[in-house]
Amino acid sequence: MFSSGFHKDTMKFTPPPASLSTPLIIPDKIMMGPGPSNCSKRVLTAMTNTVLSNFHAELFRTMDDIKDGLRYIFQTENRATMCVSGSAHAAMESLLCNLLEDGDRVLIAVNGIWAERAVEMATRYGADVRTIEGPPDRPFSLETLARAIELHQPKCLFLTHGDSSSGLLQPLEGVGNLCHRYNCLLIVDAVASLCGVPFYMDKWEIDAVYTGAQKVLGAPPGITPISISPKALDVIRNRRTKSKVFYWDLLLLGNYWGCYDEPKRYHHTVASNLIFALREALAQIAEEGLENQIKRRMECAEVLYEGLGKMGLEIFVKDPRHRLPTVTGIMIPKGVDWWKVSQHAMNNFSLEVQGGLGPTFGKAWRVGIMGECSTVQKIHFYLYGLKESLKATHPDYVFEESNGYH
Amino acid sequence: MFSSGFHKDTMKFTPPPASLSTPLIIPDKIMMGPGPSNCSKRVLTAMTNTVLSNFHAELFRTMDDIKDGLRYIFQTENRATMCVSGSAHAAMESLLCNLLEDGDRVLIAVNGIWAERAVEMATRYGADVRTIEGPPDRPFSLETLARAIELHQPKCLFLTHGDSSSGLLQPLEGVGNLCHRYNCLLIVDAVASLCGVPFYMDKWEIDAVYTGAQKVLGAPPGITPISISPKALDVIRNRRTKSKVFYWDLLLLGNYWGCYDEPKRYHHTVASNLIFALREALAQIAEEGLENQIKRRMECAEVLYEGLGKMGLEIFVKDPRHRLPTVTGIMIPKGVDWWKVSQHAMNNFSLEVQGGLGPTFGKAWRVGIMGECSTVQKIHFYLYGLKESLKATHPDYVFEESNGYH
């Protein structure tokens, strides 16, 4: 028999690292970038409940509550409504790897960073990836989408509802119906939009959607809601091959979440503390009501737009009809060092004034109206912090509607 | 232009679900199954810190602390030491999908449920999967492994160090060296073993390992530590194709965790609250020291074995040299309804007396000595709760060393 190294007196370890002997100090911050947003105390406190395993009724009951809440915020009756144990990227990837098999054609409408990611993922899974490209500040028209679908005849169309890299809102009404006329499934990224603008999964005939817990919903990151239409579920059930990723196999995951009227089987250990937190975030949304939540964020956005205008700051998405109220790109005026402003805001106001990403990188700051930061009071604080930081770092900047800085 | 449904006055939503209008009540429980275990208050409280995004120095500093802590508990100097944002299943799958390409041969030593899962995953990734099978209560010998490696000439060998489905400890000393003589990489599942028994990644020449945050470490589930040797990293860097899963691409993930001396690029949003909790769990381990942690768990196991013996209960793994101290399978005596006992223990003592899984399903309970449950006081409480529950549900059971019940 060879040794297991299992002798009390012969253990010999390198010493513990010094870095872990200091206390963990995480300052309070006002998280007004495009997510993660601040969570409510109720949501944060929920995480301190006892970690539960997959054998406890309280955990399954909480997962059932979450399914109810998700059906409400997605406005769907889909039974296959659940969470992926991972970030929104994991959810995006879970949908692509379940709906696509080697050689399947997918059409991806690219005008921001999330669609680019979808291209990368679908390519890795061996799909035949086709794209249409559009400017980051204008949505695709129904006509453009129709022409592309007719040309490529894809199995799936991937569309981003609200792009957090630009602050663009892509209208969805009619797209599902269009897709279904061509026997195509509609996959939607609603990470930054859900609970900030109306979203009707069933009415709009959306086949697969995911959102981000840590965005508008005000829950911590690490667990991601998804929903699948019966049509999409049929496609998954009729795959020629098993989906490549066991962890994301939506037939196994949906069983585990109790979606399919089958006895539950163990699949993996869910992050119960994140489950508790998400449940409380959804309960808060249910208490206030979707309509009030959305109206509140639209009102916040109006206050923000007005305040920015008064400071001579422009918005990345010019046409107000195409603006996502939950994420706004603020154009960086000529001659302004955006990073200095962001640093000043963080150091002096504990305020996150986040820079751009993808199409807005170096061009705009991005402000989020998400989670607990969706109050007029917070918007005023943001405007104040941004103004003071601009002033402190760029004393020459003129705060007027037509200041010639752009 | 088609409509975005974005009109304040035309929103029409189905009503919120009633299930979310009740308070979330999660009772305190003593989690003495094979994980998740109870976390300390310090660990739970760490989760209530402000959610941070990937642009905050405090988050990156905390991730650096975690890397230090993981190198310590894995006993490695591997730079590619990081966490996968997902459960231990995700980590298992991340290693397999990075180390294997279509047609690559992998040898999996199967004697419990985790190796079975590895077979399922590797098969989905298109690997040429070979197995050797062994009984669930006896480890593979070095000779058996050598013969199998010689026969199959695999690219990787997958071995479970401590199997939580059986309570079996697989010795590892010498296996890495054996593998390397055949140009084979050694992948180890240390989910249930790490910090419960000695583990020396570098000395034992292990190429890839993952553990479970919610097991012995006493952190919440949802984030999973892994480490990769330079040799394994070379294999990944020299792949003919990109790894199929973007989310788990260890070149991208390792960059994000600052492992490779490159400028960091955004990859996905980490679960910052789980990061904070894991950091605190690792700090607690560093403060006590690995040696003390392991000794404490070995002592707890001895108390458990003795107590079970006195009650006439047998252990699933007969040979004490092969027992994993952190998970013990307790044979269910003839005529005993294990589920009734478990239910009674939960209802009366808030004590988790978990049943079997895989090879122990219906045959044994499984008790964990993990996280905050690794004290002699907790072991005594477990023995007391189990005895009282057996007594209450099976009044005829005789609590003697030779009671003829098995």
Side-chain angles (χ1 to χ4, degrees):
Chain A
M1 194 59 224
F2 60 109
S3 159
S4 59
F6 186 54
H7 309 287
K8 267 192 207 180
D9 306 322
T10 60
M11 290 191 269
K12 221 182 165 116
F13 300 114
T14 58
S19 58
L20 287 172
S21 63
T22 55
L24 173 72
I25 297 172
I26 303 296
D28 275 339
K29 298 188 180 192
I30 300 171
M31 297 292 290
M32 289 189 74
S37 60
N38 288 114
C39 300
S40 69
K41 280 206 178 64
R42 175 174 170 188
V43 166
L44 290 175
T45 309
M47 280 191 278
T48 65
N49 276 300
T50 306
V51 182
L52 292 185
S53 76
N54 318 286
F55 299 93
H56 294 260
E58 295 89 352
L59 181 59
F60 284 128
R61 208 144 54 219
T62 309
M63 289 162 79
D64 285 342
D65 290 354
I66 287 179
K67 286 188 290 180
D68 290 342
L70 295 182
R71 288 193 190 102
Y72 173 58
I73 63 172
F74 285 132
Q75 288 286 295
T76 184
E77 292 181 4
N78 291 338
R79 303 197 55 214
T81 300
M82 63 195 98
C83 290
V84 169
S85 296
S87 78
H89 266 73
M92 180 195 282
E93 201 155 352
S94 76
L95 296 182
L96 294 169
C97 90
N98 276 273
L99 290 170
L100 299 173
E101 296 190 66
D102 283 337
D104 280 351
R105 192 171 297 163
V106 59
L107 175 64
I108 299 176
V110 180
N111 56 357
I113 194 169
W114 310 118
E116 287 170 18
R117 287 287 164 99
V119 170
E120 164 96 30
M121 291 172 182
T123 304
R124 287 180 184 231
Y125 286 115
D128 173 8
V129 180
R130 311 289 173 99
T131 58
I132 34 169
E133 302 201 6
D137 57 352
R138 260 201 340 265
F140 293 96
S141 72
L142 203 53
E143 294 68 35
T144 304
L145 295 173
R147 272 195 307 273
I149 291 173
E150 201 173 347
L151 174 66
H152 296 292
Q153 303 279 336
K155 182 182 182 187
C156 301
L157 168 68
F158 178 96
L159 209 49
T160 306
H161 187 210
D163 199 305
S164 65
S165 64
S166 59
L168 178 69
L169 176 68
Q170 169 68 50
L172 294 174
E173 212 172 338
V175 182
N177 185 270
L178 165 70
C179 286
H180 294 153
R181 289 205 307 273
Y182 289 88
N183 202 24
C184 166
L185 297 173
L186 176 58
I187 308 175
V188 168
D189 174 320
V191 169
S193 59
L194 202 74
C195 296
V197 289
F199 184 90
Y200 303 96
M201 182 159 198
D202 289 356
K203 200 162 79 180
W204 289 349
E205 299 184 38
I206 293 163
D207 294 296
V209 69
Y210 59 100
T211 189
Q214 77 278 13
K215 302 275 184 180
V216 193
L217 276 54
I223 185 166
T224 305
I226 62 170
S227 186
I228 308 285
S229 73
K231 204 186 286 279
L233 190 60
D234 268 353
V235 167
I236 297 173
R237 286 203 192 281
N238 292 310
R239 285 176 64 99
R240 304 179 303 274
T241 56
K242 283 186 182 179
S243 74
K244 292 203 170 94
V245 180
F246 174 86
Y247 190 62
W248 292 329
D249 184 323
L250 295 181
L251 301 179
L252 301 176
L253 190 69
N255 167 285
Y256 185 55
W257 275 81
C259 300
Y260 306 138
D261 264 344
E262 308 159 338
K264 278 187 194 182
R265 294 182 301 272
Y266 170 70
H267 180 250
H268 71 285
T269 299
V270 289
S272 51
N273 306 65
L274 298 182
I275 297 259
F276 302 148
L278 178 58
R279 194 271 184 196
E280 289 300 87
L282 291 169
Q284 287 190 304
I285 294 169
E287 281 163 22
E288 183 178 0
L290 259 184
E291 196 169 335
N292 292 332
Q293 281 252 328
I294 293 171
K295 277 187 185 164
R296 184 155 60 86
R297 296 205 164 91
M298 289 164 74
E299 280 157 19
C300 282
E302 291 301 330
V303 173
L304 178 70
Y305 302 157
E306 202 192 321
L308 293 174
K310 282 187 185 156
M311 287 163 63
L313 292 168
E314 292 192 348
I315 292 169
F316 182 77
V317 174
K318 297 286 169 286
D319 189 332
R321 292 174 309 163
H322 302 152
R323 287 180 191 157
L324 180 67
T326 50
V327 181
T328 301
I330 306 170
M331 296 298 287
I332 296 156
K334 261 185 234 158
V336 166
D337 180 336
W338 71 268
W339 175 235
K340 272 194 189 162
V341 177
S342 294
Q343 267 184 311
H344 189 273
M346 181 51 70
N347 294 339
N348 294 276
F349 304 100
S350 299
L351 175 67
E352 182 174 53
V353 174
Q354 209 182 94
L357 187 68
T360 52
F361 181 76
K363 286 191 194 153
W365 294 286
R366 293 176 303 152
V367 46
I369 301 178
M370 299 176 161
E372 289 292 285
C373 297
S374 315
T375 62
V376 170
Q377 179 258 352
K378 281 272 166 55
I379 301 298
H380 284 307
F381 186 78
Y382 186 92
L383 289 166
Y384 171 76
L386 179 61
K387 185 170 188 171
E388 292 300 310
S389 300
L390 249 171
K391 221 190 280 182
T393 54
H394 300 80
D396 295 340
Y397 183 79
V398 181
F399 289 92
E400 278 172 20
E401 292 204 33
S402 302
N403 58 10
Y405 272 77
H406 35 78
Chain B
M1 194 60 223
F2 60 110
S3 160
S4 58
F6 185 55
H7 310 289
K8 268 192 207 181
D9 305 323
T10 59
M11 289 190 269
K12 219 179 168 123
F13 299 114
T14 57
S19 58
L20 287 172
S21 63
T22 55
L24 173 72
I25 297 171
I26 304 296
D28 275 338
K29 299 188 180 192
I30 300 171
M31 296 291 290
M32 288 189 74
S37 60
N38 289 115
C39 300
S40 70
K41 280 206 178 66
R42 175 174 169 187
V43 166
L44 291 175
T45 308
M47 281 192 279
T48 65
N49 276 300
T50 305
V51 181
L52 292 185
S53 74
N54 317 287
F55 299 94
H56 294 259
E58 295 89 352
L59 181 58
F60 284 128
R61 208 144 53 218
T62 310
M63 289 162 78
D64 285 342
D65 290 354
I66 287 179
K67 286 187 290 180
D68 288 343
L70 295 182
R71 289 196 189 100
Y72 173 57
I73 63 172
F74 285 133
Q75 288 287 294
T76 184
E77 292 181 3
N78 291 337
R79 301 197 56 211
T81 300
M82 63 194 99
C83 290
V84 169
S85 295
S87 78
H89 267 72
M92 179 195 283
E93 201 155 353
S94 76
L95 296 183
L96 294 169
C97 90
N98 275 274
L99 291 170
L100 298 172
E101 297 190 66
D102 283 337
D104 280 351
R105 192 171 296 162
V106 59
L107 176 64
I108 299 176
V110 181
N111 56 357
I113 193 170
W114 311 118
E116 287 169 18
R117 286 289 163 97
V119 170
E120 164 95 32
M121 290 171 183
T123 304
R124 288 180 185 231
Y125 287 115
D128 173 9
V129 180
R130 310 290 173 97
T131 58
I132 35 168
E133 303 200 6
D137 57 352
R138 260 203 335 267
F140 293 96
S141 71
L142 204 52
E143 294 69 35
T144 304
L145 294 173
R147 271 195 307 273
I149 291 172
E150 200 172 350
L151 175 65
H152 297 291
Q153 302 280 336
K155 181 181 181 187
C156 302
L157 168 68
F158 179 95
L159 209 50
T160 307
H161 186 210
D163 199 306
S164 64
S165 64
S166 60
L168 179 67
L169 177 68
Q170 169 68 51
L172 294 174
E173 212 172 336
V175 183
N177 186 270
L178 166 70
C179 286
H180 293 152
R181 289 204 305 272
Y182 289 89
N183 202 23
C184 166
L185 297 173
L186 175 58
I187 308 175
V188 169
D189 175 319
V191 169
S193 60
L194 202 75
C195 296
V197 289
F199 183 90
Y200 304 95
M201 182 160 196
D202 290 356
K203 200 163 78 181
W204 289 349
E205 298 184 38
I206 294 163
D207 294 296
V209 68
Y210 59 100
T211 189
Q214 77 278 12
K215 302 275 183 180
V216 193
L217 276 54
I223 186 166
T224 305
I226 63 170
S227 186
I228 309 284
S229 72
K231 205 186 287 275
L233 191 60
D234 269 352
V235 167
I236 297 173
R237 286 202 192 282
N238 292 310
R239 287 177 62 101
R240 302 179 302 274
T241 57
K242 282 186 181 179
S243 74
K244 292 204 170 93
V245 181
F246 173 86
Y247 190 61
W248 293 330
D249 184 323
L250 295 182
L251 301 179
L252 301 177
L253 190 69
N255 167 284
Y256 186 53
W257 276 80
C259 299
Y260 306 138
D261 264 346
E262 307 159 339
K264 278 187 195 184
R265 294 182 301 272
Y266 170 69
H267 180 249
H268 72 285
T269 299
V270 289
S272 52
N273 306 64
L274 299 182
I275 296 259
F276 302 148
L278 178 57
R279 193 273 184 195
E280 289 301 85
L282 291 170
Q284 287 190 305
I285 294 168
E287 280 163 21
E288 184 178 359
L290 260 183
E291 196 170 334
N292 292 332
Q293 280 252 328
I294 293 171
K295 278 187 184 165
R296 183 155 60 86
R297 296 205 165 90
M298 288 164 74
E299 280 157 19
C300 283
E302 291 301 330
V303 173
L304 177 70
Y305 302 157
E306 201 191 321
L308 293 174
K310 282 189 184 153
M311 288 164 65
L313 292 167
E314 292 191 348
I315 291 169
F316 182 77
V317 175
K318 297 286 170 285
D319 189 331
R321 290 175 310 164
H322 302 152
R323 286 180 192 158
L324 180 67
T326 50
V327 180
T328 301
I330 306 170
M331 295 298 288
I332 296 155
K334 262 185 234 157
V336 166
D337 181 336
W338 71 269
W339 174 235
K340 272 193 188 162
V341 177
S342 294
Q343 267 184 311
H344 190 273
M346 182 51 70
N347 294 338
N348 294 275
F349 304 100
S350 299
L351 175 67
E352 183 174 53
V353 175
Q354 210 183 94
L357 187 69
T360 52
F361 182 75
K363 286 191 194 152
W365 293 287
R366 291 175 304 152
V367 47
I369 301 178
M370 299 176 161
E372 288 292 285
C373 297
S374 315
T375 62
V376 170
Q377 179 258 355
K378 280 272 165 57
I379 302 298
H380 284 307
F381 185 77
Y382 187 92
L383 289 165
Y384 169 77
L386 178 62
K387 185 170 187 172
E388 293 300 312
S389 301
L390 248 170
K391 222 190 278 182
T393 54
H394 299 81
D396 294 340
Y397 183 78
V398 180
F399 289 92
E400 278 171 23
E401 292 204 32
S402 302
N403 58 11
Y405 272 77
H406 37 78

